[in-house]
Amino acid sequence: MSRSLRLVPAVSALLALALTGTACDGGVHGAPGGSGVRDPYFPKAGNGGYDVGHYALTLDYTPASRHLTGTAVITARATEDLSAFDLDLVGLRVESVTVEGRKARFSRAGQELTVRPRDDLSEGETFRTTVRYSGTPRTLTDPDGSAEGWLPTADGALGLGEPVGSMTWFPGDHHPSDKAAYDITVTVPKGLQAVSNGELTSRSTKGGRTTYAWHMAQPMASYLATVAVGHFTMTRTEGPHGLPVLTAVDPTQAKASEKVLAKIPAIIKWEEYNFGPYPFSSTGAVVDRPEDAQYALETQTRPVFPGAPDTSTLVHELAHQWYGDSVTPRSWRDMWLNEGFATYAEWLYREDFGGKSVQETFDEYYEGDHEEVWAFPPAKPSSAAHISDSPVYQRGAMVLQKIRQEIGDDAFWDLLKDWAAAHRHGSVSTADFTAYVEKRAPGHDFRGIWRDWLYGDGKPAHP
């Protein structure tokens, strides 16, 4: 992400509400799954009792009426015996829910869609839930005041999900700790394009409407899912070792974007040299109009930009494909593992291409008038409203530079690559990272770095 800005009722009470549907209680022996995973900043996000493996989303959107019709087929595995489970969904009208092809009872309360299948689900059982829904998707306001969710644009719409906006356009387990593969099919009026994550597998037109099918094979956190509907010029090129590069650019931004987007293959090659093999099967970018969104976002394989990005922002969002998209934070408190790493990539790119060294940049932040950097520790943002503030980005990058100073360049480059490889397509915490560093660099004392730079309040006494 690149921007300077940036809840739990008891399930038993939910199930006491009047439930819709016709399913009968078949003698359930399980217990309801949790209606949140107790994230420190977004406690209602995510759900307990299951792990999603795949989402199949079939969407039909008409920009003129802002009407969305959707079917979500969610394949998951029960992690405990379940009599009921929750999905996150804000707004939209749920028309029906089935579990394993049989009608299921369901109720709504806030962002919780509580589903009670006809039969209990056993721990370890794989089950398929189908939710049919429709309505006008909402735009949410983040705690930091920025807009996310479903953003209407001049010629379509843009779905942005960090941190919880994806629940405005499809039901699911909307927390970064639960990642899944995706197939996203979007039908729009003929003449418009629909762009999403991964690879475009088919496109067909019938009855004045065009359907685009996208496949994201590698695991993806729901906040990284995107749909961009509008007029786009779509260009296909190749990156390193034949990597498909697909860009989708609003025609008003084509000229301004041309030179910088042409750098994508070279940037990916440079990032592979520093961070290891690219973790996905395609890459690219979506460039919409500046007024359509106020920030860039590292949506998986295809970052979204509000107007033509500069090179530094492009480097930042593509670095997230390793740090944030493949290696994903386990909770929103761990956001610096995304943003500190991507910010460090910016500094490193500048160093490698004739600009200031990383150490010079570090010194400027330490010695200059940058009080905002010391507002809170990178690993302990003060609230949900501040998970995208400067300490998470710049001070997070400074933590990495302190590690580099301690262990030396060769060991540091190995650490960057090995961290990305060891946790490829996984979810990690800050504690995972500090333990990994200590294991990889025995004989070094990191206690001062963790105490003063990662977790400590205020400006450290010594750089």
Side-chain angles (χ1 to χ4, degrees):
M1 190 176 219
S2 181
R3 62 183 182 185
S4 58
L5 298 173
R6 242 342 254 169
L7 328 163
V8 183
V11 175
S12 58
L14 292 175
L15 293 176
L17 299 173
L19 297 172
T20 62
T22 59
C24 298
D25 189 332
V28 171
H29 300 291
S35 58
V37 295
R38 298 184 181 179
D39 185 275
Y41 302 123
F42 299 91
K44 290 184 180 179
N47 300 285
Y50 64 91
D51 179 72
V52 180
H54 182 263
Y55 291 92
L57 307 178
T58 303
L59 310 175
D60 190 299
Y61 185 66
T62 302
S65 62
R66 297 186 179 178
H67 185 76
L68 176 72
T69 300
T71 299
V73 181
I74 304 166
T75 303
R77 179 181 58 84
T79 57
E80 58 188 81
D81 293 340
L82 289 174
S83 61
F85 58 90
D86 281 23
L87 299 169
D88 300 312
L89 182 67
V90 167
L92 301 171
R93 177 179 178 270
V94 175
E95 293 155 2
S96 68
V97 180
T98 63
V99 178
E100 286 298 289
R102 307 179 73 187
K103 284 186 177 181
R105 295 179 177 183
F106 63 91
S107 63
R108 305 287 300 277
Q111 71 183 54
E112 303 298 328
L113 167 61
T114 301
V115 178
R116 188 172 189 174
R118 183 184 294 265
D119 300 312
D120 63 324
L121 300 168
S122 302
E123 180 180 356
E125 179 181 353
T126 297
F127 62 99
R128 181 174 296 179
T129 303
T130 300
V131 182
R132 291 180 170 83
Y133 57 99
S134 63
T136 302
R138 295 183 185 178
T139 299
L140 302 181
T141 300
D142 282 352
D144 67 13
S146 54
E148 62 160 329
W150 194 263
L151 285 60
T153 64
D155 57 356
L158 184 59
L160 298 178
E162 186 176 330
V164 294
S166 294
M167 66 181 177
T168 66
W169 55 279
F170 69 94
D173 192 17
H174 291 296
H175 189 265
S177 59
D178 191 359
K179 303 168 70 172
Y182 281 73
D183 283 282
I184 302 176
T185 301
V186 189
T187 299
V188 294
K190 182 181 178 180
L192 296 179
Q193 286 75 46
V195 186
S196 190
N197 312 88
E199 290 77 60
L200 179 65
T201 58
S202 69
R203 177 175 59 190
S204 60
T205 299
K206 181 180 180 180
R209 300 183 73 80
T210 303
T211 298
Y212 295 81
W214 296 86
H215 177 62
M216 182 69 249
Q218 294 82 29
M220 178 168 70
S222 65
Y223 81 91
L224 298 168
T226 190
V227 168
V229 175
H231 295 287
F232 294 103
T233 299
M234 297 173 68
T235 303
R236 294 170 177 81
T237 56
E238 284 192 357
H241 45 78
L243 180 71
V245 179
L246 188 149
T247 59
V249 182
D250 185 285
T252 66
Q253 306 301 309
K255 185 175 180 181
S257 301
E258 184 176 4
K259 288 184 179 180
V260 68
L261 294 184
K263 297 179 181 181
I264 290 177
I267 292 172
I268 292 292
K269 183 177 181 180
W270 176 83
E271 292 185 332
E272 284 196 320
Y273 177 80
N274 287 284
F275 310 142
Y278 181 74
F280 303 113
S281 50
S282 66
T283 190
V286 175
V287 180
D288 220 327
R289 305 181 190 196
E291 60 270 22
D292 292 339
Q294 302 303 310
Y295 53 88
L297 187 64
E298 62 271 21
T299 45
Q300 192 156 302
T301 68
R302 199 152 291 112
V304 172
F305 301 95
D310 58 27
T311 300
S312 186
T313 303
L314 185 59
V315 169
H316 181 108
E317 303 305 337
L318 290 175
H320 273 309
Q321 304 307 306
W322 284 261
Y323 308 112
D325 294 12
S326 175
V327 184
T328 302
R330 187 165 296 158
S331 82
W332 291 109
R333 178 174 286 166
D334 303 306
M335 185 78 154
W336 84 276
L337 292 171
N338 290 18
E339 303 301 349
F341 277 71
T343 300
Y344 196 87
E346 291 183 61
W347 296 1
L348 184 60
Y349 189 88
R350 188 183 305 135
E351 178 178 82
D352 282 359
F353 289 90
K356 298 174 183 176
S357 70
V358 172
Q359 187 60 47
E360 287 172 330
T361 304
F362 177 101
D363 292 341
E364 284 187 359
Y365 277 104
Y366 186 83
E367 297 168 1
D369 185 16
H370 296 286
E371 291 304 313
E372 71 282 0
V373 174
W374 317 112
F376 55 80
K380 294 194 300 182
S382 53
S383 71
H386 298 290
I387 62 172
S388 292
D389 282 5
S390 185
V392 174
Y393 287 68
Q394 283 76 35
R395 189 170 168 183
M398 296 173 84
V399 171
L400 296 178
Q401 182 63 3
K402 292 297 294 182
I403 296 171
R404 180 180 175 183
Q405 292 171 354
E406 174 66 27
I407 67 177
D409 281 4
D410 289 345
F412 181 73
W413 304 134
D414 288 344
L415 177 68
L416 287 182
K417 291 178 182 178
D418 294 346
W419 169 251
H423 300 282
R424 186 181 178 95
H425 305 315
S427 296
V428 294
S429 67
T430 298
D432 292 330
F433 178 71
T434 57
Y436 191 81
V437 172
E438 292 172 357
K439 181 179 179 180
R440 286 300 310 272
H444 293 272
D445 187 353
F446 297 99
R447 289 176 295 179
I449 297 175
W450 307 151
R451 182 189 65 238
D452 299 336
W453 290 88
L454 188 57
Y455 288 106
D457 293 321
K459 184 177 181 178
H462 303 287

